Amino acid sequence: MKKTQNQKAWFMVLPVLILVAFSAIIPMMTVVNYSVQDTFGNNEFFWVGLEWFEEVLHSERIHDALWRQILFTVIILAIEIPLGIFMALHMPKKNGLWTSICLVVVALPLLIPWNVVGTIWQIFGRIDIGLLGYTLDQLGISYNYTQDTFDAWFTIIIMDVWHWTSLVLLLSYAGLRSIPDAYYQAAKIDQASRWSVFRYIELPKMKGVLIIAILLRFMDSFMIYTEPFVVTGGGPGNATTFLSIDLVKMAIGQFDLGPAAAFSLIYFLVILLVSWVFYTTMVNMDKENE
Amino acid sequence: MAKITLSTLAHSYLDNPKSDDDYALKPIDHIWEDGAAYALLGPSGCGKTTLLNIISGLLKPSSGKILFDDFDVTDNDTSTRNIAQVFQFPVVYDTMTVKENLAFPLKNRGLDADYIEKRVSEIAKMISLDDILDKKTNGLTADVKQKISLGRGLVREDVNAILFDEPLTVIDPKMKWELRTQLKAIHQKLGHTMIYVTHDQTEALTFADKVIVMSDGEVVQIGTPTELFEKPEHTFVGYFIGSPGMNIIPAKVNGHKAIIGDHEIILNDTYGKLDGKVELGIRPEFIKFSDDPNALPITINRIEDVGHYKIARTRFQNHDINIIINEGDDFSKDMHGIIFDTEKINIYENDWRVDP
């Protein structure tokens, strides 16, 4: 008996392949193309091999941007994750009008476009007309995000926390809501403290959604561009120039397409790698428990 | 351990209960004797779980009081009442091992580590969990998880009462028997007051010294299994307990005579004047087929063979009558008369049993 092989089924995946090719593979190949060539204009390109990659990897400017980026991501994760969980724990537990109002209110920042968020905070922090800036100034606290590095960081971090903590909150809240009442009742019967309830019931049950929340916030914050660009433009000096801002400066501002392309690819691989490492460790941790 | 007293306790889930129907639990007065095993029996939604949650303090009653050894605990919350409760679905702390799970209630009370170790291994042995003590709990089967929940309930020595809220629902039948027998043995050994909620009559009757039958938020009868079987106080108890339940047939009762349709049955006892809805109750176990021309004439609809006995579904005029035919009973398909065992007849007036 010979099994007939019919390979026609491969045609079924063709539409997806075409779609992915146009949406991801072809644009990315253009970038790859730029990253290994140089040009003197007139659409004349010549091969430079891995030169751009070497340049980017040894560039102090990019190293600095990377450290700023890592610092920023670590800080916002350290604030947003615990804060989001804390707020989720204090959301109303029963379904009702009050719960709906709370949910809408906390979800509002998520619905605002990035550059609008940036503009809001840019104005909010101004000493002359912004509520935050004006108030701080009147209280005698020297605050100026356009000139002071600390103030610039402070503003951007608060802005990100304001914009994105809700995401962590909503995901955690969904996780919390899926815990059956019996768990809380059993904990009461067992005379567990509030902390034990959190540690042994709520946290384990939220773990799945928290992995997603951390991953999303990591990727997003690592790629942040619009909001700090609108608020500080990367300044003062280069104090808030994160990777994306630096990349855009390099590609559009200086028109160094080669290094910028190499930079993009490295950037992409870093995010991919970190996300992958992150995800596999989290998932493995989960498996070990079983 | 304590005697638990319920004093005109009632509960409604509504904020402003108006009529009786708004109450999930209608006013109840009851004393749970220290060290006894009780079963709360009733159909789903009859208020059993509500009553249980009030005793453990998970729910505050709308009115009435609850006393532990004459000490009012109505306003005390669960953690201060020192009550153990096992829920319908197993609750285990997944990140802990079996041992840590069992030790959890003791640890929370800040007990000595050596004592905890000793007590946990004792309980684990009792419910045969001792060979998996160091396993993580997630990934275990439902019945093992439920055993862990049971274990957490049993681990505290000085607990006031142990409440079980249909704990064997998710367990498969073979394990059910085993666990139920173990529970009974544990009760005899430890002597805690135990209250066992169930809608399964076999479970209730095998577990408890006293069974409390509830219907519609109301306690309809409290009694030993025999009392529930032979003298159901309410028609509900009659047909809820037994398989099939008691036959309840509208009748006219006159002194020591009961008249069903146009047929007269001589009763053992004499009854006074009865008003309202009068019914005669007789269990299928106490009816025999007969050739006697004076027997109640019936038509047989069908015979169901349940294995060790048969159930005859019969009809007398407009009334269904079920009869249990045991092996060796005198029965043939052309017998069309039945005779009641008059000693086992109960008479009901407006659903409540009347004493002769």
Side-chain angles (χ1 to χ4, degrees), chain B residues 41-99:
Chain B
L41 181 64
S44 305
C46 72
K48 298 170 299 195
T49 301
T50 306
L51 180 56
L52 212 60
N53 287 345
I54 289 175
I55 295 174
S56 62
L58 294 171
L59 208 60
K60 281 233 148 54
S62 314
S63 60
K65 269 192 273 191
I66 169 163
L67 311 149
F68 285 10
D69 275 339
D70 304 320
F71 180 72
D72 190 345
V73 295
T74 318
D75 294 322
N76 294 17
D77 62 348
T78 309
S79 53
T80 59
R81 289 196 192 183
N82 201 14
I83 286 258
Q85 189 169 357
V86 181
F87 299 91
Q88 185 169 7
F89 296 101
V91 175
V92 294
Y93 305 105
D94 325 314
T95 52
M96 298 187 197
T97 61
V98 175
K99 195 188 211 164

Side-chain angles (χ1 to χ4, degrees), chain A residues 25-95:
Chain A
I25 298 172
I26 294 173
M28 192 139 121
M29 287 320 288
T30 356
V31 178
V32 173
N33 201 22
Y34 279 127
S35 73
V36 289
Q37 300 189 66
D38 198 0
T39 177
F40 294 120
N42 289 337
N43 244 352
E44 279 172 46
F45 287 89
F46 55 92
W47 176 259
V48 293
L50 294 177
E51 232 171 81
W52 296 135
F53 286 93
E54 271 166 42
E55 193 186 305
V56 166
L57 286 174
H58 292 106
S59 153
E60 211 156 290
R61 164 184 163 187
I62 291 172
H63 289 175
D64 289 346
L66 179 65
W67 285 119
R68 278 192 290 269
Q69 185 70 69
I70 291 171
L71 184 65
F72 175 75
T73 298
V74 168
I75 291 175
I76 65 109
L77 282 179
I79 298 174
E80 285 171 19
I81 301 295
L83 185 64
I85 295 173
F86 178 80
M87 286 168 71
L89 289 173
H90 290 84
M91 286 283 287
K93 294 208 168 55
K94 280 184 192 134
N95 277 327

Side-chain angles (χ1 to χ4, degrees), chain A residues 20-213:
Chain A
V20 172
F22 275 97
S23 73
I25 298 172
I26 294 173
M28 192 139 121
M29 287 320 288
T30 356
V31 178
V32 173
N33 201 22
Y34 279 127
S35 73
V36 289
Q37 300 189 66
D38 198 0
T39 177
F40 294 120
N42 289 337
N43 244 352
E44 279 172 46
F45 287 89
F46 55 92
W47 176 259
V48 293
L50 294 177
E51 232 171 81
W52 296 135
F53 286 93
E54 271 166 42
E55 193 186 305
V56 166
L57 286 174
H58 292 106
S59 153
E60 211 156 290
R61 164 184 163 187
I62 291 172
H63 289 175
D64 289 346
L66 179 65
W67 285 119
R68 278 192 290 269
Q69 185 70 69
I70 291 171
L71 184 65
F72 175 75
T73 298
V74 168
I75 291 175
I76 65 109
L77 282 179
I79 298 174
E80 285 171 19
I81 301 295
L83 185 64
I85 295 173
F86 178 80
M87 286 168 71
L89 289 173
H90 290 84
M91 286 283 287
K93 294 208 168 55
K94 280 184 192 134
N95 277 327
L97 185 65
W98 178 231
T99 311
S100 309
I101 292 172
C102 282
L103 282 174
V104 170
V105 169
V106 297
L108 268 182
L110 296 175
L111 305 175
I112 303 173
W114 286 258
N115 53 349
V116 177
V117 171
T119 314
I120 291 174
W121 281 81
Q122 205 248 354
I123 296 170
F124 192 47
R126 278 174 63 166
I127 310 170
D128 49 352
I129 54 168
L131 187 63
L132 175 70
Y134 184 77
T135 314
L136 287 175
D137 197 51
Q138 290 298 306
L139 287 172
I141 299 162
S142 114
Y143 169 83
N144 188 335
Y145 65 80
T146 55
Q147 277 161 27
D148 187 277
T149 306
F150 178 81
D151 293 347
W153 272 76
F154 175 79
T155 313
I156 289 177
I157 286 167
I158 295 289
M159 174 179 65
D160 199 80
V161 168
W162 176 80
H163 195 179
W164 289 111
T165 304
S166 315
L167 179 77
V168 182
L169 185 156
L170 290 178
L171 285 169
S172 309
Y173 183 65
L176 281 176
R177 288 297 300 267
S178 68
I179 303 175
D181 249 3
Y183 278 83
Y184 291 105
Q185 296 182 330
K188 272 192 202 161
I189 297 285
D190 293 338
Q191 302 174 330
S193 61
R194 181 71 191 88
W195 168 250
S196 296
V197 171
F198 176 70
R199 170 68 187 74
Y200 298 112
I201 297 173
E202 291 170 331
L203 201 56
K205 297 273 171 200
M206 276 195 289
K207 200 159 79 190
V209 286
L210 278 180
I211 293 176
I212 304 288

Side-chain angles (χ1 to χ4, degrees), chain B residues 30-287:
Chain B
H30 183 62
I31 293 170
W32 311 85
E33 296 296 344
D34 188 11
Y38 292 94
L40 262 178
L41 181 64
S44 305
C46 72
K48 298 170 299 195
T49 301
T50 306
L51 180 56
L52 212 60
N53 287 345
I54 289 175
I55 295 174
S56 62
L58 294 171
L59 208 60
K60 281 233 148 54
S62 314
S63 60
K65 269 192 273 191
I66 169 163
L67 311 149
F68 285 10
D69 275 339
D70 304 320
F71 180 72
D72 190 345
V73 295
T74 318
D75 294 322
N76 294 17
D77 62 348
T78 309
S79 53
T80 59
R81 289 196 192 183
N82 201 14
I83 286 258
Q85 189 169 357
V86 181
F87 299 91
Q88 185 169 7
F89 296 101
V91 175
V92 294
Y93 305 105
D94 325 314
T95 52
M96 298 187 197
T97 61
V98 175
K99 195 188 211 164
E100 286 166 328
N101 256 283
L102 295 178
F104 192 58
L106 300 177
K107 243 181 213 155
N108 287 331
R109 314 187 77 205
L111 293 172
D112 181 57
D114 289 342
Y115 168 77
I116 295 179
E117 181 83 12
K118 204 180 113 241
R119 181 72 185 162
V120 165
S121 62
E122 222 175 276
I123 292 294
K125 205 164 275 162
M126 219 180 272
I127 49 177
S128 50
L129 282 175
D130 41 345
D131 45 340
I132 53 160
L133 272 180
D134 292 318
K135 265 200 177 166
K136 284 269 184 191
T137 46
N138 49 0
L140 296 175
T141 57
D143 40 80
V144 179
K145 281 187 180 175
Q146 190 63 311
K147 266 192 185 179
I148 297 170
S149 310
L150 285 173
R152 276 209 325 274
L154 299 169
V155 81
R156 277 178 280 162
E157 256 175 303
D158 60 342
V159 79
N160 280 323
I162 306 178
L163 316 180
F164 301 94
D165 189 357
E166 307 193 28
L168 304 181
T169 317
V170 291
I171 313 290
D172 58 56
K174 186 179 154 279
M175 281 297 294
K176 240 183 204 173
W177 274 106
E178 207 179 304
L179 276 175
R180 202 184 306 148
T181 328
Q182 272 177 0
L183 270 182
K184 184 103 189 160
I186 286 167
H187 175 252
Q188 272 149 10
K189 200 165 165 189
L190 301 181
H192 291 301
T193 313
M194 291 191 179
I195 304 175
Y196 191 106
V197 160
T198 178
H199 59 250
D200 179 339
Q201 44 168 316
T202 333
E203 232 169 81
L205 300 176
T206 50
F207 175 80
D209 310 327
K210 270 210 167 150
V211 179
I212 292 145
V213 185
M214 291 185 71
S215 160
D216 229 358
E218 219 173 346
V219 173
V220 283
Q221 186 170 6
I222 301 171
T224 61
T226 325
E227 284 168 347
L228 295 180
F229 190 73
E230 296 194 341
K231 286 185 180 160
E233 285 300 328
H234 191 274
T235 51
F236 171 78
V237 181
Y239 62 73
F240 191 69
I241 290 178
S243 162
M246 187 181 240
N247 297 300
I248 311 278
I249 311 157
K252 285 191 197 98
V253 174
N254 198 347
H256 66 289
K257 279 183 204 158
I259 298 150
I260 304 175
D262 48 12
H263 198 90
E264 204 175 82
I265 291 166
I266 309 293
L267 301 171
N268 268 19
D269 305 295
T270 314
Y271 291 84
K273 193 173 152 35
L274 298 176
D275 290 322
K277 188 170 68 165
V278 178
E279 283 156 318
L280 177 151
I282 176 100
R283 291 211 174 265
E285 286 84 351
F286 304 131
I287 307 178

